[in-house]
Amino acid sequence: MRLTIKAVFAAVLTLCAGPGLAQDQASPAAPPVSKGPVPYVSLQRPTPRPAPARPAAASTPAAAAVATPSTPIGLVPALPVTPSGARLAPREALPPAELEAFVDGVVRSAMARDHIAGVTVSVVQNGQVVLKKGYGFASLAPARKVDPDTTLFRVGSISKTFTWIALMREIEAGRIRADAPVNLYLPERLQIRDQGFRTPVRVINLMDHSPGFEDRALGQLFERNFARERSLAEYLRQERPRRVRAPGEISSYSNYGAALAGQAVSYVSGKPFERLIEETILLPTGMRNTSFREPHPPKAGIPGAIPDRLAGQISQGYRWIPSGFEVRPFEYIGHGAPAGSASSTAGDIARYMQLLLNNGTIDGATIYGPRAAEAFRTPIRKTPAGINGWRHGFISYSLPGGRTGFGHDGATMSFHSNMVVVPALNLGIFISTNTETGSDLAHAFPDQVLSQFYSPPQAYPRPGSQTLKDQARTFEGYYLGTRRAYRGLESMIGLVTTGVTVSVDSKGRLVTSGFGPARTWVPEGDLAEGRLISTTGTEHLAFDIADGRAQSFQTGGGGQTFQRAGFWKQPSTATFLAVFTGIAAAATLAGVLLRNRREFRETSIQSRASLIQNIQAALWLTMLILFGLWLSRTGDLANVMYGWPGPLLFIASACAMVAAALTLATLLLLPAIWRGGRRVDSWTPLRKLAFSVTVLLYSAFAVVLWFWGVLSPWSG
């Protein structure tokens, strides 16, 4: 599943990978080229230059693949260049040898750079498997190499695509209506409550992630202790999120919404979700090495375990630490199975992509009909150019070369996967990695393949814009993503991890920065339309501009909208106030020890106020120290996910809540402090001023903590 918090808590790892971890194992079904993979460097060509059009015969796949008698043994001739500058014309098929060499270079380089233990890949085109390959290890102790046909990887949110197929089957059969309230298809105890919204959440809202739910994950999206596992129905009832906007307003990715859709399909069909998927999709398509079940002992109310023959083939998940690869515990996701519990092989996903490309049929079996096939190729709502949308659950991708496709990516804490099919090229691409650091490879891989073979070369970096520089104030500011929790302690995490600072540099480039690397963008077309493109790639931003000021923007992924945020919700504000609150609290307690006898003269009200402020100071310092200790443990995402919120954060929040309440008392006492008594038995003006400044500082900090959800320890 997509985890926005990973951008904050995943460690930045820089040591080199150990030797031997980038070994690969080609599938027996892969086309033989030579005794070993052809080095990609032997296939590289210089950047193509404009040239006269090729003879027609040279554009055929057969002609492109034939080697002349003078070609050295073991080398593959370079592909001719199309008139557009791309290596292949749209109707030309990928050459297996050159594709394998390119993928070898991309994958092995990423494995060494990012310390990835294992990778599995499959590419299909024109009804054939062009490449199916495993790299590295599924297990290090004992050593077990990745086999693309038998090694199961956790594919995360790619699981949702099976859920959408199951849902569309029910829509085609007339048992569910896409425009009907989803509550019609849920048992009463799981139905969505109004929560102040008159418009009901419809089935179609789940398919484009616009039900209006907040997004919560910590402490419940994954489990490592099977004893804590719940049924899908219990999970949906106990972890019901708040509704924070009207349904259909914007798309904001929702794991809960997808799980709810799976429950609706299960309720209507009268079958457990796992068995429904097996009977209607997995068995008819011959996906014998795919399952939504997980390895575990029997437990009442929990779906049966994955078959033993598959349990031993699931890849181990890993995290890279300075001393090497650290084994991750198994991630139980069965309580939210429709959203992310599937495990599969590259070979099975190759069959799945062929099913999608062939409009729901494979080997004579029809899984879904024309209505569903059309839905999966039709975006529900229009999105700005370059921004992904939703094709009835599937992500609509804007791809290099101006092409479009559909599919889904997926992530757990250890596994990162991506699946993209491109109907215009009759092409499907899948990759999965088994290490926390595999996100960049999985995310970029389909685009890399398309850019290499089907897109003309691009000149980078793109130059800046003087117009953008002149209109910098239109865009600059701090923006918050909509995919986050809106109340309680978890809202604090969302305010940090989804925040993006937008600025314009001296070269006329828009800069976005958050917890990931800073990115630069330049206008694409008329700046008034708010469309920008990356200076070093094909990704886009689309701003919504009203009254001469940007109100929000979307990234190419389209999973959420980033809305302009106020001063109180900016991390810099919270950090500034936290630092000065700590200084003031320390100074308050130090004053008890360092103040001379004359400064101890005070009225009874001042005495009580001093006691309250001393207690406050102790509470604020305790809160800051405990929060710092909690932050020191967030380098490992598992500590946050499985231990949320934990005793450190809970006690820190409780201290902040009490200190904030005491701040209200000191505010009420402030007028009496300044009136207090004769000079001989009252505070000096300097101490009154210091007390007042401290009260105001504590008050401002308390307000910020309230906005950040820190003052509600009961709402983790």
Side-chain angles (χ1 to χ4, degrees):
M1 300 182 185
R2 297 178 174 180
L3 291 181
T4 56
I5 58 174
K6 183 160 285 191
V8 174
F9 299 117
V12 180
L13 309 172
T14 56
L15 298 184
C16 297
L21 291 179
Q23 300 178 25
D24 58 85
Q25 177 180 352
S27 165
V33 181
S34 62
K35 292 184 178 180
V38 180
Y40 179 63
V41 292
S42 68
L43 305 177
Q44 289 181 305
R45 292 158 290 181
T47 302
R49 298 176 180 176
R54 299 176 295 154
S59 65
T60 65
V66 173
T68 63
S70 60
T71 301
I73 296 175
L75 297 182
V76 179
L79 293 173
V81 178
T82 67
S84 69
R87 300 191 177 202
L88 295 175
R91 294 183 179 179
E92 290 183 293
L94 289 166
E98 185 167 356
L99 174 66
E100 182 177 11
F102 174 73
V103 172
D104 283 350
V106 170
V107 172
R108 288 172 175 161
S109 174
M111 291 178 72
R113 180 188 69 243
D114 299 332
H115 314 295
I116 303 170
V119 178
T120 193
V121 172
S122 60
V123 179
V124 301
Q125 191 172 38
N126 299 328
Q128 302 294 320
V129 178
V130 185
L131 177 66
K132 185 170 54 174
K133 196 164 185 178
Y135 299 82
F137 290 89
S139 172
L140 297 174
R144 175 164 56 96
K145 292 184 179 180
V146 174
D147 185 308
D149 285 313
T150 62
T151 304
L152 281 73
F153 279 57
R154 310 300 303 280
V155 297
S157 285
I158 293 177
S159 308
K160 292 181 176 68
T161 62
F162 294 85
T163 301
W164 305 129
I165 289 176
L167 179 57
M168 282 303 305
R169 283 172 53 90
E170 297 299 313
I171 292 174
E172 284 187 312
R175 291 185 289 268
I176 292 179
R177 293 194 350 257
D179 62 348
V182 70
N183 281 348
L184 294 178
Y185 311 110
L186 295 170
E188 184 176 356
R189 64 176 184 156
L190 300 183
Q191 291 179 0
I192 301 169
R193 299 168 181 170
D194 292 342
Q195 296 182 6
F197 293 92
R198 295 182 178 180
T199 306
V201 175
R202 299 179 299 156
V203 172
I204 196 72
N205 298 138
L206 302 182
M207 303 181 84
D208 73 347
H209 293 268
S210 66
F213 298 139
E214 65 175 346
D215 188 63
R216 291 184 175 272
L218 301 181
Q220 44 92 353
L221 189 60
F222 303 116
E223 296 286 357
R224 62 181 171 189
N225 181 3
F226 178 68
R228 288 173 50 90
E229 268 293 82
R230 298 165 278 181
S231 67
L232 173 60
E234 284 301 298
Y235 172 74
L236 292 172
R237 183 181 65 84
Q238 295 172 359
E239 303 297 342
R240 183 181 283 114
R242 293 179 180 87
R243 296 177 64 179
V244 294
R245 63 185 67 88
E249 186 175 309
I250 62 171
S251 291
S252 188
Y253 195 81
S254 174
N255 285 308
Y256 186 90
L260 202 65
Q263 175 63 36
V265 172
S266 176
Y267 184 67
V268 170
S269 68
K271 297 179 181 180
F273 177 81
E274 291 79 3
R275 181 152 64 91
L276 176 69
I277 297 298
E278 290 162 356
E279 293 178 356
T280 60
I281 302 177
L282 300 182
L283 293 178
T285 57
M287 298 176 68
R288 308 289 177 175
N289 295 314
T290 301
S291 181
F292 276 72
R293 302 178 186 271
E294 299 174 326
H296 57 73
K299 183 178 180 181
I302 302 297
I306 190 172
D308 290 341
R309 71 175 184 87
L310 298 180
Q313 297 297 326
I314 299 177
S315 173
Q316 184 65 255
Y318 290 97
R319 172 180 179 245
W320 174 260
I321 58 176
S323 59
F325 288 101
E326 178 182 72
V327 176
R328 285 284 202 192
F330 186 84
E331 301 164 283
Y332 290 104
I333 321 173
H335 52 275
S341 74
S343 301
S344 189
T345 65
D348 269 15
I349 296 296
R351 292 188 61 79
Y352 188 51
M353 292 189 293
Q354 289 174 322
L355 171 78
L356 298 173
L357 288 166
N358 205 33
N359 294 327
T361 64
I362 185 170
D363 295 342
T366 299
I367 307 305
Y368 56 85
R371 183 180 176 186
E374 180 64 21
F376 295 148
R377 299 189 181 212
T378 306
I380 293 175
R381 64 174 70 198
K382 185 178 180 181
T383 57
I387 306 301
N388 296 341
W390 296 102
R391 299 185 179 190
H392 294 77
F394 284 79
I395 300 175
S396 178
Y397 286 113
S398 297
L399 300 168
R403 293 181 173 83
T404 60
F406 66 99
H408 217 291
D409 59 349
T412 69
M413 285 190 290
S414 302
F415 292 84
H416 297 271
S417 308
N418 205 350
M419 179 190 73
V420 177
V421 296
V422 191
L425 301 175
N426 207 15
L427 172 69
I429 303 169
F430 169 75
I431 186 170
S432 187
T433 71
N434 64 4
T435 310
E436 186 183 64
T437 50
S439 175
D440 289 346
L441 172 61
H443 175 76
F445 182 73
D447 281 5
Q448 289 176 309
V449 172
L450 289 169
S451 295
Q452 177 68 16
F453 293 100
Y454 289 107
S455 300
Q458 299 290 326
Y460 300 119
R462 294 184 172 90
S465 162
Q466 182 61 41
T467 303
L468 176 61
K469 186 176 178 180
D470 294 340
Q471 299 183 29
R473 297 188 64 177
T474 300
F475 301 94
E476 290 182 328
Y478 187 74
Y479 298 77
L480 281 174
T482 55
R483 191 189 169 195
R484 58 186 173 88
Y486 279 71
R487 293 184 187 176
L489 288 176
E490 193 169 345
S491 67
M492 169 186 67
I493 305 301
L495 289 174
V496 174
T497 58
T498 69
V500 176
T501 299
V502 174
S503 59
V504 176
D505 66 14
S506 59
K507 297 181 180 179
R509 303 174 304 177
L510 186 137
V511 182
T512 55
S513 57
F515 270 82
R519 301 285 305 276
T520 54
W521 314 81
V522 294
E524 185 180 51
D526 185 356
L527 184 60
E529 297 178 0
R531 193 171 67 250
L532 292 95
I533 188 169
S534 170
T535 59
T536 57
T538 59
E539 293 183 74
H540 288 77
L541 296 181
F543 281 84
D544 178 21
I545 302 175
D547 299 324
R549 194 166 187 245
Q551 304 300 318
S552 63
F553 71 89
Q554 290 178 281
T555 61
Q560 60 182 323
T561 297
F562 293 84
Q563 300 171 328
R564 190 179 287 275
F567 174 77
W568 295 107
K569 293 186 177 181
Q570 298 185 20
S572 58
T573 302
T575 302
F576 175 86
L577 290 173
V579 169
F580 279 91
T581 294
I583 293 173
T588 297
L589 296 179
V592 176
L593 301 175
L594 302 178
R595 199 171 290 126
N596 60 43
R597 291 181 60 186
R598 187 167 182 269
E599 290 176 317
F600 272 105
R601 295 172 179 171
E602 56 191 4
T603 67
S604 59
I605 291 179
Q606 291 171 342
S607 176
R608 294 187 187 97
S610 178
L611 176 62
I612 291 173
Q613 197 166 70
N614 289 339
I615 294 173
Q616 274 185 290
L619 289 169
W620 286 127
L621 286 177
T622 302
M623 174 260 184
L624 293 171
I625 291 170
L626 291 176
F627 187 73
L629 291 174
W630 178 81
L631 280 177
S632 69
R633 302 179 67 249
T634 59
D636 182 358
L637 180 62
N639 292 333
V640 182
M641 177 60 69
Y642 296 132
W644 180 262
L648 291 177
L649 197 58
F650 177 82
I651 297 173
S653 176
C655 289
M657 180 184 66
V658 176
L662 293 176
T663 298
L664 181 60
T666 56
L667 277 171
L668 295 175
L669 291 173
L670 201 55
I673 294 299
W674 281 93
R675 287 196 304 268
R678 298 174 298 170
R679 177 175 175 78
V680 294
D681 59 1
S682 177
W683 288 350
T684 64
L686 182 60
R687 188 176 175 190
K688 291 178 181 178
L689 178 63
F691 179 89
S692 301
V693 170
T694 303
V695 168
L696 295 177
L697 179 60
Y698 289 171
S699 299
F701 191 43
V703 169
V704 168
L705 294 183
W706 180 80
F707 275 114
W708 282 58
V710 178
L711 304 184
S712 51
W714 61 86
S715 182

